[in-house]
Amino acid sequence: MSENELRNTTAMPTVTKDLFESASESSMQDKEKISAPSLSFMADSWRRLKKNKVAMVSLVILIIITMSSLLAPVIAPHDPNAQTVQYANMPPKIPGIDINGLNGTVKQNGVVIDKYEASNVPEDVYYYLGTDSLGRDLLSRILYGTRVSLFIAFMAALFNLTLGVVYGLTSGWLGGKVDNIMQRILEILSGVPNLVVVILMLLVLKPGISSIIIALALTEWLSMARVVRAQTLKLKNQEYILAARTLGQSPMKIAFGHILPNLAGVIIIQVMFSIPSAIFFEAFLSFIGIGIPAPNASLGTLINDGYKTFRFLPHLMWYPAGIMSVIMICFNLLADGLRDAFDPKMRD
């Protein structure tokens, strides 16, 4: 075979227009579509939060506890303030469970005694967590006490959210002499201990929920104001804020329309951390005797009542203390999860 014949056999086929198919406009648009759906900041944060199993379990537990406390009038087996002295200091008894400590029996002088039978308690009456020294059902008091403690904590968080955000946003946005004066006021208020403020409130108001909420409202928002001010100082010199100023938007609209939405993550995290702090503060006040007055119950008053007889009836203290510990731990774990969800760089 000659060289020319070999060259003709190995030559490439002629490329013509018939070999190609023109792409339609719809197919081009399909290729340019983004396969993953676009997510907003809150949707993306929720997606990351759902991956945090500890935070989600804490959220579920908090929802169950909150709903149980809200439905206390419905699910409470007894009146929380009803006193039945002949049934005082009854041990826990749960129907269908034959375990020491949960079957209504106590051990006295080495002999196991059915306390319910000895006290002539009707067979259809059960005290699932026992009774206190006045014969009041502990489970019912825990349900109502948890509602009081959560109410105080959420009201403190509400004041923390409103006062702290407005004060910190105003201070950081205005800056200059106004910011300097406002920060000196914060330093003066933060120098006064919370306990002193509560005692002063008790001199003016009657002891109770209102005085505790007012005392928390006067002191708990200081940390929120500092955090919001620092973030506002960081954001107010960003390009989009300068563009909004150039376009002639009012300072109020810029502060609440551009800066505040970008502070949502920091604010939510700060509020979540403030709730367990308020619960602990209320429990501390009730434990030392200047909190919720009798016969109303809170977790602090229940712990105080159980502390007096802890050596003989430890369950009267263990149950409310356990509920308060679970609430505080869950709020802190949820706040940690929210911090990681809103700012993934915090985990690095």
Side-chain angles (χ1 to χ4, degrees):
M1 183 180 293
S2 65
E3 183 177 352
N4 292 332
E5 292 177 351
L6 180 62
R7 187 176 299 173
N8 291 333
T9 55
T10 58
M12 296 294 294
T14 305
V15 179
T16 61
K17 295 182 179 180
D18 299 336
L19 298 176
F20 297 92
E21 181 180 356
S22 60
S24 62
E25 184 177 356
S26 60
S27 63
M28 293 296 294
Q29 292 178 354
D30 292 338
K31 292 180 180 180
E32 294 179 357
K33 285 183 179 180
I34 300 176
S35 57
S38 59
L39 298 175
S40 63
F41 173 73
M42 297 301 295
D44 188 47
S45 300
W46 173 246
R47 178 183 62 83
R48 287 195 294 267
L49 180 64
K50 288 191 294 184
K51 294 181 180 180
N52 192 331
K53 296 181 180 179
V54 176
M56 293 306 298
V57 171
S58 301
L59 179 60
V60 172
I61 294 174
L62 289 175
I63 291 175
I64 293 174
I65 293 176
T66 303
M67 293 303 298
S68 299
S69 62
L70 291 176
L71 298 175
V74 179
I75 64 178
H78 302 277
D79 186 352
N81 298 325
Q83 301 180 11
T84 310
V85 181
Q86 61 269 28
Y87 300 154
N89 298 327
M90 299 296 295
K93 184 176 182 179
I94 301 176
I97 297 180
D98 190 11
I99 301 175
N100 292 334
L102 298 176
N103 57 1
T105 60
V106 294
K107 194 173 183 180
Q108 295 179 355
N109 299 325
V111 179
V112 178
I113 300 174
D114 190 341
K115 191 72 179 294
Y116 282 72
E117 183 178 353
S119 300
N120 297 322
V121 180
E123 294 183 357
D124 57 344
V125 176
Y126 299 95
Y127 297 104
Y128 298 100
L129 298 182
T131 60
D132 60 8
S133 59
L134 297 177
R136 296 173 296 189
D137 180 49
L138 183 60
L139 175 59
S140 302
R141 290 181 64 78
I142 287 178
L143 290 173
Y144 279 86
T146 304
R147 183 168 67 167
V148 172
S149 297
L150 289 177
F151 174 74
I152 293 175
F154 284 123
M155 289 301 297
L158 178 61
F159 282 106
N160 188 11
L161 181 65
T162 54
L163 295 177
V165 170
V166 173
Y167 194 95
L169 190 61
T170 304
S171 178
W173 176 253
L174 296 179
K177 293 182 179 180
V178 176
D179 179 40
N180 193 14
I181 295 173
M182 296 179 73
Q183 292 308 303
R184 300 297 79 76
I185 296 174
L186 275 184
E187 292 176 359
I188 294 173
L189 293 176
S190 61
V192 181
N194 294 355
L195 187 58
V196 175
V197 177
V198 173
I199 294 175
L200 293 176
M201 289 296 103
L202 295 177
L203 294 177
V204 179
L205 303 174
K206 294 181 179 180
I209 297 177
S210 59
S211 59
I212 296 177
I213 291 176
I214 292 174
L216 291 173
L218 293 176
T219 56
E220 288 294 319
W221 60 275
L222 302 178
S223 59
M224 173 70 80
R226 288 196 180 94
V227 172
V228 172
R229 171 189 174 268
Q231 294 297 320
T232 303
L233 291 173
K234 179 181 177 181
L235 294 176
K236 74 175 186 179
N237 293 323
Q238 297 291 326
E239 289 80 2
Y240 65 93
I241 300 298
L242 298 177
R245 283 181 172 181
T246 305
L247 293 174
Q249 291 189 359
S250 63
M252 185 70 68
K253 187 175 182 180
I254 294 175
F256 289 93
H258 296 283
I259 295 180
L260 187 59
N262 287 279
L263 297 178
V266 177
I267 292 172
I268 292 174
I269 294 169
Q270 192 69 20
V271 168
M272 294 302 296
F273 277 117
S274 68
I275 292 177
S277 176
I279 292 175
F280 181 79
F281 184 66
E282 181 277 326
F284 168 73
L285 295 178
S286 299
F287 183 79
I288 63 178
I290 60 174
I292 306 299
N296 297 323
S298 69
L299 293 177
T301 57
L302 293 175
I303 294 173
N304 185 29
D305 294 339
Y307 171 77
K308 299 175 183 177
T309 58
F310 178 73
R311 292 182 58 188
F312 310 101
L313 301 169
H315 66 278
L316 295 180
M317 178 180 168
W318 280 124
Y319 290 126
I323 294 295
M324 189 181 73
S325 299
V326 168
I327 292 174
M328 295 182 65
I329 292 173
C330 288
F331 268 115
N332 281 284
L333 293 177
L334 179 58
D336 287 335
L338 288 172
R339 182 176 58 189
D340 295 337
F342 285 120
D343 190 1
K345 294 183 292 184
M346 294 288 292
R347 294 175 293 182
D348 300 335

